């Protein structure tokens, strides 16, 4: 049986992603504290903040020479709402990440679906490994919107029909597409986030270019903005050293 009121069964369509920093213990001082135990043993926070230029230099040195472990002594938890196909890519990042995602077995999935907005480039030109994305025509944009919305409506109706007939949620969900929104908490540290950003964002300062799908890049850009605010020296050193995780 469906537990959702009839009004909420109407599909809604989104083109954006949600990323909220819900919890964190992350600052540049966490990097300094971990790095300086090598030479100083235990230190107070005051000692760490005594010489900002030296702190900046130390973080840059660690990044440049890829001394990575001092960047692991911090934690950021993000709430993410995005299409399932983004989560599929996201969860390939195994190291330094923890995930908990909403369940299609234990709750009825809500009819919220992804439709790209007019800025999303629709056409891939070139061969695998060497291609660019270009704008679609007006006709292609209209087709994408219509085909996706029709298909989403149809699949959600089938899902609801099965639930109403008493079929278990875990069985009925098979008909739902990867454009359906899901949500998760994802927890990482600065080192694992840098590795993720190096692969899932495009940036003019990147020494090693990557070609991520735009929708996971949208999530990455929002995470990056939150992290840059929390750890400005580490963020600056990441950019200055070609956006390669240490
Ligand atoms: C543009 C792009 C296209 C992609 N296309 C595809 C695709 O077509 N098909 C596909 O399946 N995937 C694809 N991927 C996913 C990709 O192969 C990686 O799984 C994903 O980027 C996570 O990277 P990672 O393994 O380095 O990260 P993590 O899993 O977080 O690992 C971090 C690092 O830990 C080390 N490590 C982790 N696990 C192991 C291990 N088992 N053995 C040795 N070292 C390990 C490695 O140094 C690794 O870089 C793509 C990724 C990108 C960015």
């Amino acid at each position: 049986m469906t537990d959702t009121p009839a009004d909420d069964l109407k599909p809604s369509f989104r083109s954006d992603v949600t990323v909220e920093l819900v919890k964190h213990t992350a600052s540049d001082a966490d990097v300094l504290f971990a790095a300086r135990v090598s030479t100083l043993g235990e230190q107070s926070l005051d000692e760490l903040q005594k010489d900002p230029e030296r702190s900046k230099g130390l973080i840059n040195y660690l990044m440049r020479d890829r001394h990575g472990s001092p960047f692991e002594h911090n934690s950021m938890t993000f709430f993410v709402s995005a299409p399932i196909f983004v989560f599929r890519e996201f969860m390939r990042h195994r190291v330094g990440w923890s995930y908990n995602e909403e369940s299609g077995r234990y709750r009825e999935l809500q009819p919220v679906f992804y439709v790209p907005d007019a800025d999303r480039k629709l056409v891939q030109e070139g061969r695998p490994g060497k291609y660019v994305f270009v704008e679609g025509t007006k006709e292609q944009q209209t087709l994408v919107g219509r085909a996706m919305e029709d298909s989403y409506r149809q699949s959600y109706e089938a899902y609801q029909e099965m639930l109403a007939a008493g079929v278990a949620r875990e069985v009925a969900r098979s008909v739902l597409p990867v454009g359906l929104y899901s949500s998760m908490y994802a927890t990482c540290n600065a080192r694992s986030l840098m590795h993720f950003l190096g692969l899932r964002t495009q940036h003019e300062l990147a020494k090693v270019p990557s070609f991520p799908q735009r929708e996971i890049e949208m999530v990455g850009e929002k995470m990056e903005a939150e992290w840059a605010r929390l750890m400005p020296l580490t963020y600056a050193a990441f950019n200055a050293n070609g956006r390669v995780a240490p």
Side-chain angles (χ1 to χ4, degrees):
M1 276 295 167
T2 172
D3 358 279
T4 306
D7 277 356
D8 294 343
L9 295 177
K10 253 179 87 185
S12 62
F13 305 108
R14 288 179 61 182
S15 307
D16 62 337
V17 295
T18 302
V19 175
E20 289 163 14
L21 180 70
V22 292
K23 222 160 44 123
H24 63 88
T25 49
S27 72
D28 291 319
D30 297 327
V31 181
L32 300 169
F33 140 96
R36 286 192 182 144
V37 76
S38 304
T39 52
L40 298 177
E42 195 179 11
Q43 320 118 67
S44 72
L45 204 61
D46 283 352
E47 271 175 281
L48 289 172
Q49 288 164 343
K50 252 189 218 154
D51 186 346
E53 268 315 299
R54 202 164 148 248
S55 300
K56 194 172 151 191
L58 175 57
I59 289 179
N60 195 58
Y61 153 75
L62 295 169
M63 192 77 71
R64 189 196 67 210
D65 286 13
R66 305 195 70 201
H67 292 303
S69 52
F71 297 100
E72 295 171 7
H73 296 266
N74 57 81
S75 171
M76 290 165 274
T77 300
F78 296 96
F79 171 79
V80 182
S81 169
I84 287 172
F85 65 81
V86 169
F87 283 32
R88 238 178 110 161
E89 293 187 344
F90 213 117
M91 288 182 187
R92 300 300 305 280
H93 295 263
R94 299 158 287 177
V95 177
W97 285 92
S98 304
Y99 304 108
N100 279 94
E101 186 182 356
E102 73 176 271
S103 169
R105 298 183 69 199
Y106 305 133
R107 70 181 296 225
E108 190 176 319
L109 296 169
Q110 297 306 296
V112 182
F113 297 96
Y114 178 70
V115 177
D117 66 18
D119 294 337
R120 199 335 178 163
K121 296 190 168 115
L122 294 180
V123 178
Q124 185 178 324
E125 283 182 352
R127 58 180 163 78
K130 197 172 185 336
Y131 54 80
V132 289
F133 275 84
V134 297
E135 310 288 333
T137 60
K138 269 264 157 289
E139 290 71 30
Q140 283 168 327
Q141 283 173 6
T142 308
L143 170 65
V144 166
R146 181 178 50 72
M148 285 189 180
E149 290 186 15
D150 286 354
S151 164
Y152 291 154
R153 275 199 186 89
Q154 197 183 4
S155 65
Y156 201 73
E157 271 170 31
Y159 176 65
Q160 283 300 325
E161 189 182 353
M162 284 188 267
L163 295 185
V167 174
R169 288 183 285 254
E170 68 181 39
V171 177
R173 69 172 169 176
S174 307
V175 293
L176 296 174
V178 291
L180 184 80
Y181 274 70
S182 187
S183 61
M184 68 169 172
Y185 288 117
T187 299
C188 63
N189 60 57
R191 190 183 193 185
S192 54
L193 181 61
M194 286 188 271
H195 185 66
F196 173 80
L197 294 175
L199 290 167
R200 301 298 185 177
T201 58
Q202 285 194 307
H203 199 285
E204 57 187 10
L205 295 175
K207 216 156 50 184
V208 185
S210 192
F211 301 93
Q213 170 145 359
R214 178 61 193 142
E215 289 77 11
I216 193 168
E217 186 180 37
M218 285 155 54
V219 175
E221 287 170 352
K222 288 179 180 242
M223 289 182 166
E224 180 167 340
E226 296 287 359
W227 171 58
R229 194 171 52 74
L230 298 175
M231 301 178 73
L233 297 183
T234 306
Y235 180 61
F238 176 57
N239 280 326
N241 289 280
R243 292 172 68 86
V244 174

